[in-house]
Amino acid sequence: MQATAYTYDSETRSGSVLLDDGTPVEFDARAFDAGGLRLLRPGQRVRIEAEGEGADLRITLVTLQTF
């Protein structure tokens, strides 16, 4: 699944993304660390993996979108 980085806090390594329909979804340090990233800037396109649906959607991985 693709999304756009919306917020990122380098101290907590957590933040949020916007799904393509505009829905914001938060991610924690575990999901950020799973992607091997060092930094994330708002506006970057990212690839995410998630579990659950709707209000129970939980991001398990955030990494940069590559083609």
Side-chain angles (χ1 to χ4, degrees):
M1 182 184 308
Q2 296 180 31
T4 303
Y6 185 55
T7 64
Y8 176 68
D9 182 331
S10 60
E11 289 185 22
T12 63
R13 297 182 329 280
S14 63
S16 63
V17 299
L18 292 177
L19 301 181
D20 288 344
D21 68 0
T23 303
V25 182
E26 295 184 0
F27 63 87
D28 59 17
R30 177 189 268 161
F32 182 79
D33 292 344
L37 299 175
R38 292 184 178 185
L39 179 66
L40 189 60
R41 291 178 296 212
Q44 282 183 302
R45 272 310 262 182
V46 294
R47 184 176 70 83
I48 61 171
E49 292 182 9
E51 298 175 341
E53 295 182 17
D56 294 324
L57 187 69
R58 186 177 74 82
I59 296 176
T60 59
L61 174 117
V62 178
T63 192
L64 292 180
Q65 175 64 35
T66 58
F67 298 94

